[in-house]
Amino acid sequence: SVPPGVLPLCRRPPAWGRAPRQPPGLPLAPFRAFSNNKIMVELDESAGIATMKFKSPPVNSLSLEFLTEFCISLEKLENNRACRGVIITSAVPKIFSSGLDITEMCGKSTEHYAEFWRAVQEMWLRLYGSNMVTVAAVNGSSPAGGCLIALSCDYRIMVENPKFSIGLNEAQLGIVAPFWFKDTFVNVVGHRVAERSLQLGSLHPAPEAHRFGLVDELVPEEKLQEKTGAVMAQWLALPDHARQLTKSMMRKAVLDRLVAHREEDIQNFISFISKESIQKSLRMYMEMLKKKKG
Amino acid sequence: SVPPGVLPLCRRPPAWGRAPRQPPGLPLAPFRAFSNNKIMVELDESAGIATMKFKSPPVNSLSLEFLTEFCISLEKLENNRACRGVIITSAVPKIFSSGLDITEMCGKSTEHYAEFWRAVQEMWLRLYGSNMVTVAAVNGSSPAGGCLIALSCDYRIMVENPKFSIGLNEAQLGIVAPFWFKDTFVNVVGHRVAERSLQLGSLHPAPEAHRFGLVDELVPEEKLQEKTGAVMAQWLALPDHARQLTKSMMRKAVLDRLVAHREEDIQNFISFISKESIQKSLRMYMEMLKKKKG
Amino acid sequence: SVPPGVLPLCRRPPAWGRAPRQPPGLPLAPFRAFSNNKIMVELDESAGIATMKFKSPPVNSLSLEFLTEFCISLEKLENNRACRGVIITSAVPKIFSSGLDITEMCGKSTEHYAEFWRAVQEMWLRLYGSNMVTVAAVNGSSPAGGCLIALSCDYRIMVENPKFSIGLNEAQLGIVAPFWFKDTFVNVVGHRVAERSLQLGSLHPAPEAHRFGLVDELVPEEKLQEKTGAVMAQWLALPDHARQLTKSMMRKAVLDRLVAHREEDIQNFISFISKESIQKSLRMYMEMLKKKKG
């Protein structure tokens, strides 16, 4: 079982507050009070369903600030008894999330790399281990870290537009998906599909992603919200306690593995990302992106 | 390898007798001598194939008595050299087995819960680890523990009637399938399908169960016996020794895991089932079933 | 991580030479200098792609001599910076490889069995753990050890002729595929397909093998070379370093398992193959093959 203090601690850090501040018995304050620079959080208390909508243009990249806000928002929902399920989607057209923010990994200090990577881990530990029902409504492309967010949910619905693609394409950039990205991927698509897709750094158009189970369902964009609501209702029909224990049983081995190797994983990331060859290729990649925009 | 004395011991408990009592060389006594209150056992010695037919109306529920008889019958077949394969099926129309008998888990003593759970474990250890070829001829619905019996066989043929469904639906009742139910399920359908199906407590109609591999084949009811015989003949064409070692290689990790945590698993069951909230929901479920019948 | 000295040592044994002998900066000598009694090795240095073509009629069986040559050739390619990918195929019509040479396992000394089995392990450790892109162009039947070679590559393309079959059919001969054959198989087709196929010792016609993912693609024989080249180009488009680390991440657990149990696995093989019953059935099998030929 989980070493004492580790996952509980990471799930409920004292600084973020465990319980709503209202006196017990009073109705909870409206949820809009949350900080929401980069993520809009709405809670429908009667349904028990929250929506986290990424609104960090141009591409919802996962910066340190974004990740911190994500964790705080998810934590607050997790501790709010009025919330039983979360829908994760994007407010930016055509993109779900472009994944980790490369500027956080380029030309920064060792301390910064450590802080950033810890935030990436934290995001995954909280989302993959969430007690709530989590549904990804993937309404745009979702490479790398964006794909990880989708993979970490309980269910993935994607807009059927073949221009939208999804995958762990790290190898294309000359970097390597960490073992827990890989474990999460294998749990969804199996070992063979994961091996091939990770080595090729494939970005799969929505129909292909659906064919091998990377996403559970495809819908036309205009049906996404309706379908997501229906799926959430189906999952919320189950008694929370049994569903949560079952989810934990399925995901615990993989969660525990990162918890047990968390510091080592941070050190690995730092020494990899600090290499001059890696820095150089990230700089070239950023230049390319800038030219594309300009 | 298996810790000495553990699996062998659990497979061949002295009380149940290891060898037929006849002097060596004499023909074995006809198999109908077996106790068969709840399970009819027939052995075709020339073919080396036994049939275990559940005949415990109304729904072949797995009571302590049923499980004990199941283990004794299977053990006797296992130790009978004239028997190389077992077909498991139901004599009750429309139901294969409804799973664990809820009355065994409701309002009983801690000792009773322990005894009952040990019998459930024993049934699975013997069936999943059987040296014989085991084929499930699923001729009716098969929820929860009924599904586990089918999953533990080498091959599953189901009647193609979409009114018959199969699945580990424990979560629907507010309870949780134990880890070894889950391991057995994952070995058959893979991690993703298992995760989703277990969390939703899904009962899959036969055609859906076939689509994702929960059962290997669908046949019209009138073809079930013929097809089952043909499949059994195909498996028995292999040399026993090589097939048995191969089967053991595939299943050992999962069998060993329960053997290593058997007492802990019993304690977990007792403390879970003894909770007032669980007892209450089981009582409500039983009331509902009674009203349905009445 | 890998115990120091173990995998590196097995990957780069000093006797086989680590680096080309030319002074640095000079063009490498043409590859044809390699010993090639049983395997023809051609290297296209401009493309960085080598082809290993089995030419050991009648059936490319994996004798000690064949395996040794295979390992030496692969090792030389591995250490040649001009080589980034290897295509493995057969020069013998209708057969890729018939698998382990039974004459090496019949009527020989314990020392010989040990040496032979170590060579089989070595072949797999090098191929499954290769840093190069490995593509199997399966242009004929591929039972047992032949199937293992294909399974150990990164990608499998098979000629769509339904007369060609592939599978780990050891059980048909009364023997058992070792655990690392099984692990490799499970990584490709998943637990359920592997369990059934291994127990039945199935040889799958090409279309069936494709249906459940044992091979990735089927092509008409005349398109095999073109298709193999296209697939290789796709894989070589990725940066080597990231692809290699990803491949290692996917395969390390299974490679490590054999490395950790290598001597034990040799002893198991010796004691199994030395049994009179096994020797007898291998002799009968060889007699049958001889009559077939005669």
Side-chain angles (χ1 to χ4, degrees):
Chain A
S1 70
V2 187
V6 175
L7 250 188
L9 186 112
C10 99
R11 278 192 182 149
R12 311 196 161 192
W16 297 359
R18 170 172 283 157
R21 301 218 183 111
Q22 297 82 352
L26 286 192
L28 293 165
F31 215 72
R32 260 148 281 148
F34 280 359
S35 79
N36 57 354
N37 280 324
K38 301 192 169 289
I39 304 169
M40 186 158 46
V41 180
E42 290 166 339
L43 174 63
D44 176 345
E45 292 205 3
S46 65
I49 302 171
T51 303
M52 291 177 73
K53 219 174 215 167
F54 300 160
K55 48 150 196 158
S56 181
V59 289
N60 291 329
S61 65
L62 307 176
S63 63
L64 180 54
E65 194 188 335
F66 186 106
L67 292 166
T68 306
E69 195 179 313
F70 184 93
C71 286
I72 293 176
S73 299
L74 195 65
E75 178 69 11
K76 287 194 182 175
L77 295 172
E78 198 83 56
N79 289 325
N80 184 340
R81 293 198 178 169
C83 182
R84 298 174 60 218
V86 182
I87 294 162
I88 298 180
T89 195
S90 167
V92 176
K94 296 183 192 165
I95 190 90
F96 180 71
S97 162
S98 65
L100 303 186
D101 187 339
I102 292 178
T103 63
E104 304 279 10
M105 303 192 269
C106 219
K108 297 286 198 298
S109 69
T110 298
E111 289 70 30
H112 185 85
Y113 295 148
E115 189 186 0
F116 176 64
W117 199 247
R118 190 179 302 277
V120 179
Q121 294 175 331
E122 190 71 23
M123 178 269 286
W124 178 76
L125 287 170
R126 284 176 189 281
L127 182 57
Y128 198 60
S130 173
N131 272 324
M132 298 179 287
V133 174
T134 51
V135 176
V138 185
N139 53 349
S141 283
S142 195
C147 177
L148 182 73
I149 289 180
L151 287 170
S152 303
C153 289
D154 292 315
Y155 199 84
R156 286 156 288 286
I157 307 170
M158 191 166 179
V159 168
E160 66 188 358
N161 188 339
K163 287 183 187 162
F164 297 165
S165 64
I166 184 168
L168 294 175
N169 63 323
E170 281 79 356
Q172 292 273 6
L173 316 189
I175 58 178
V176 180
F179 71 87
W180 39 285
F181 281 51
K182 180 266 286 178
D183 289 343
T184 311
F185 198 28
V186 168
N187 273 356
V188 173
V189 297
H191 191 279
R192 172 57 190 157
V193 169
E195 183 181 276
R196 181 174 160 185
S197 182
L198 282 173
Q199 281 199 65
L200 291 173
S202 304
L203 282 176
H204 306 283
E208 185 179 292
H210 180 245
R211 215 173 307 127
F212 58 73
L214 204 166
V215 298
D216 297 296
E217 216 167 328
L218 296 183
V219 293
E221 184 133 25
E222 67 275 16
K223 299 268 184 180
L224 181 60
Q225 203 179 345
E226 181 192 335
K227 185 69 206 179
T228 306
V231 164
M232 184 57 89
Q234 183 198 10
W235 285 69
L236 290 181
L238 277 288
D240 280 336
H241 188 62
R243 188 191 49 68
Q244 287 161 357
L245 288 174
T246 305
K247 180 173 180 177
S248 162
M249 177 172 64
M250 296 305 299
R251 300 191 167 189
K252 192 173 179 313
V254 160
L255 285 164
D256 284 357
R257 212 174 146 207
L258 177 58
V259 170
H261 296 96
R262 195 163 177 180
E263 296 309 317
E264 200 183 322
D265 183 59
I266 292 172
Q267 293 311 316
N268 279 348
F269 172 73
I270 294 174
S271 70
F272 183 79
I273 213 70
S274 303
K275 279 182 189 151
E276 189 39 44
S277 58
I278 301 297
Q279 284 293 312
K280 193 176 159 190
S281 69
L282 291 179
R283 278 194 306 266
M284 281 169 59
Y285 187 74
M286 282 169 61
E287 283 305 315
M288 195 193 74
L289 291 179
K290 271 182 206 161
K291 274 176 199 156
K292 238 178 163 181
K293 270 194 289 183
Chain B
S1 68
V2 187
V6 176
L7 250 189
L9 187 112
C10 98
R11 277 190 184 153
R12 312 195 162 192
W16 297 0
R18 170 172 284 157
R21 298 211 187 117
Q22 297 84 349
L26 289 190
L28 292 165
F31 215 73
R32 263 149 277 147
F34 280 359
S35 78
N36 56 354
N37 281 324
K38 301 194 168 287
I39 304 170
M40 187 159 46
V41 181
E42 289 166 339
L43 174 63
D44 177 345
E45 292 205 2
S46 65
I49 302 171
T51 303
M52 292 176 74
K53 221 174 213 168
F54 301 159
K55 48 149 195 156
S56 182
V59 289
N60 291 329
S61 64
L62 307 175
S63 63
L64 181 54
E65 196 189 335
F66 186 107
L67 292 166
T68 306
E69 196 179 313
F70 183 93
C71 286
I72 292 176
S73 300
L74 195 66
E75 178 69 10
K76 289 194 180 174
L77 295 172
E78 198 84 56
N79 290 325
N80 184 340
R81 292 198 178 170
C83 182
R84 299 174 60 218
V86 183
I87 294 162
I88 298 179
T89 194
S90 168
V92 176
K94 296 183 191 163
I95 189 90
F96 179 72
S97 162
S98 65
L100 303 185
D101 186 341
I102 292 178
T103 61
E104 304 280 10
M105 304 191 269
C106 218
K108 296 286 196 300
S109 69
T110 297
E111 291 69 31
H112 185 84
Y113 295 149
E115 189 186 0
F116 176 64
W117 199 247
R118 190 179 301 277
V120 179
Q121 295 175 331
E122 190 71 22
M123 178 270 286
W124 177 77
L125 287 170
R126 283 175 190 280
L127 182 58
Y128 198 61
S130 173
N131 272 323
M132 299 179 286
V133 173
T134 50
V135 177
V138 185
N139 53 349
S141 282
S142 196
C147 177
L148 181 73
I149 289 180
L151 287 171
S152 303
C153 290
D154 292 315
Y155 200 84
R156 286 156 287 287
I157 307 171
M158 191 165 180
V159 168
E160 65 188 359
N161 188 338
K163 286 183 188 161
F164 296 163
S165 62
I166 185 168
L168 295 175
N169 63 323
E170 281 80 355
Q172 292 272 5
L173 316 188
I175 59 179
V176 181
F179 71 87
W180 39 285
F181 281 51
K182 179 266 285 178
D183 289 343
T184 311
F185 198 28
V186 168
N187 273 356
V188 172
V189 298
H191 191 279
R192 172 57 188 157
V193 169
E195 183 181 277
R196 181 174 159 186
S197 182
L198 282 173
Q199 282 199 66
L200 292 172
S202 304
L203 282 176
H204 306 284
E208 185 179 292
H210 181 245
R211 215 174 307 128
F212 58 73
L214 204 167
V215 297
D216 296 296
E217 217 165 325
L218 297 183
V219 293
E221 183 133 26
E222 67 275 16
K223 300 268 185 183
L224 181 61
Q225 204 179 345
E226 181 192 334
K227 185 70 206 178
T228 305
V231 164
M232 184 57 90
Q234 184 198 9
W235 284 69
L236 290 181
L238 277 287
D240 280 337
H241 188 62
R243 187 191 49 69
Q244 287 161 357
L245 289 174
T246 305
K247 180 172 178 176
S248 162
M249 177 172 66
M250 296 305 299
R251 300 190 166 190
K252 195 174 177 313
V254 160
L255 285 164
D256 284 356
R257 212 175 148 206
L258 176 57
V259 170
H261 297 94
R262 197 164 175 178
E263 296 309 316
E264 199 182 323
D265 183 59
I266 292 173
Q267 292 312 316
N268 279 347
F269 173 73
I270 293 175
S271 71
F272 183 79
I273 213 70
S274 305
K275 278 181 191 153
E276 191 38 46
S277 59
I278 300 297
Q279 285 291 314
K280 193 177 159 190
S281 69
L282 291 178
R283 278 195 305 268
M284 282 168 58
Y285 187 72
M286 282 168 60
E287 284 304 315
M288 194 194 74
L289 290 179
K290 270 181 208 163
K291 274 176 199 154
K292 238 179 165 180
K293 270 194 287 184
Chain C
S1 69
V2 187
V6 175
L7 250 189
L9 186 112
C10 100
R11 278 190 183 152
R12 314 198 159 188
W16 297 359
R18 169 171 284 158
R21 301 219 182 108
Q22 297 83 349
L26 288 192
L28 293 166
F31 215 73
R32 261 149 279 148
F34 279 1
S35 79
N36 57 354
N37 280 325
K38 301 193 168 288
I39 304 169
M40 188 158 48
V41 181
E42 291 167 339
L43 175 62
D44 176 346
E45 291 204 3
S46 64
I49 302 171
T51 303
M52 293 176 74
K53 221 174 213 169
F54 301 160
K55 48 150 196 158
S56 182
V59 291
N60 291 329
S61 65
L62 307 175
S63 63
L64 181 54
E65 196 189 334
F66 185 107
L67 292 166
T68 306
E69 196 179 313
F70 184 92
C71 286
I72 293 176
S73 300
L74 195 65
E75 178 69 10
K76 288 194 182 176
L77 296 172
E78 197 84 56
N79 290 324
N80 184 338
R81 293 198 177 169
C83 182
R84 299 173 59 219
V86 183
I87 294 162
I88 298 180
T89 194
S90 167
V92 177
K94 295 183 192 164
I95 190 88
F96 181 71
S97 161
S98 65
L100 303 185
D101 187 341
I102 292 178
T103 63
E104 304 279 10
M105 303 191 271
C106 217
K108 297 285 198 299
S109 69
T110 298
E111 290 69 32
H112 185 84
Y113 295 149
E115 190 186 358
F116 176 64
W117 199 247
R118 190 179 300 277
V120 179
Q121 294 175 332
E122 190 71 23
M123 178 270 287
W124 177 76
L125 288 171
R126 282 176 191 282
L127 183 57
Y128 199 60
S130 173
N131 272 323
M132 298 180 287
V133 174
T134 51
V135 176
V138 185
N139 53 350
S141 282
S142 196
C147 177
L148 181 73
I149 290 180
L151 287 171
S152 303
C153 290
D154 292 316
Y155 199 83
R156 286 155 288 286
I157 307 172
M158 191 166 181
V159 169
E160 66 188 358
N161 188 338
K163 287 183 187 163
F164 297 164
S165 63
I166 185 168
L168 295 175
N169 62 322
E170 282 79 356
Q172 291 273 6
L173 317 188
I175 58 179
V176 181
F179 72 86
W180 39 284
F181 282 51
K182 181 265 286 178
D183 288 343
T184 311
F185 198 29
V186 167
N187 273 356
V188 173
V189 299
H191 192 279
R192 172 57 189 157
V193 170
E195 183 181 276
R196 181 174 159 185
S197 182
L198 283 173
Q199 281 200 67
L200 292 173
S202 305
L203 282 176
H204 306 283
E208 185 179 293
H210 181 246
R211 214 173 308 126
F212 58 73
L214 204 167
V215 297
D216 296 296
E217 216 165 326
L218 297 183
V219 293
E221 183 133 25
E222 67 274 15
K223 298 268 185 183
L224 181 61
Q225 204 180 344
E226 180 192 334
K227 185 68 206 180
T228 307
V231 164
M232 185 57 90
Q234 184 198 10
W235 284 69
L236 290 180
L238 277 287
D240 279 337
H241 188 63
R243 188 191 49 70
Q244 288 161 357
L245 289 174
T246 305
K247 180 173 178 175
S248 161
M249 176 171 65
M250 295 305 299
R251 300 191 167 190
K252 194 172 178 313
V254 160
L255 285 164
D256 284 357
R257 212 175 148 206
L258 177 57
V259 170
H261 297 96
R262 196 165 177 179
E263 296 309 317
E264 199 183 324
D265 183 59
I266 292 173
Q267 293 311 317
N268 279 347
F269 173 73
I270 294 174
S271 70
F272 183 79
I273 212 72
S274 306
K275 278 182 191 152
E276 190 39 44
S277 59
I278 301 297
Q279 284 292 312
K280 193 177 158 189
S281 71
L282 292 179
R283 278 194 306 267
M284 282 168 58
Y285 188 72
M286 282 168 61
E287 284 305 314
M288 195 194 74
L289 290 180
K290 270 181 207 164
K291 274 175 199 157
K292 237 179 166 179
K293 271 193 287 181

